[in-house]
Amino acid sequence: MRESNWQKSSYSGATNECVEVRTASDTVELRESDEGHLVLRTTPTTFAALLHALKAGEFDRHA
């Protein structure tokens, strides 16, 4: 995997407060746009599992 440009979440709209993601070497990197120096690195497999869990609502909280 080559390094790619940061991509903003489609939910962020025109604001700069969002989650960004990119590929770099053999990892996927995530950061918050307003804290660009803090980067979370993970494997593509783990990132795919996270996305699957988020879409399935596994992290939703019910009051």
Side-chain angles (χ1 to χ4, degrees):
M1 245 183 244
R2 291 184 173 164
E3 186 172 302
S4 62
N5 294 327
W6 289 103
Q7 295 180 354
K8 288 173 52 169
S9 167
S10 60
Y11 289 99
S12 65
T15 67
N16 285 332
E17 298 176 5
C18 61
V19 173
E20 297 177 317
V21 64
R22 74 174 181 181
T23 57
S25 299
D26 292 331
T27 64
V28 175
E29 297 183 337
L30 296 112
R31 70 178 183 182
E32 209 171 318
S33 59
D34 60 345
E35 293 287 337
H37 62 283
L38 299 173
V39 177
L40 173 67
R41 291 176 183 87
T42 189
T43 66
T45 302
T46 301
F47 182 65
L50 173 64
L51 290 179
H52 179 74
L54 288 167
K55 290 178 182 180
E58 292 185 27
F59 301 104
D60 293 351
R61 297 185 187 251
H62 302 283

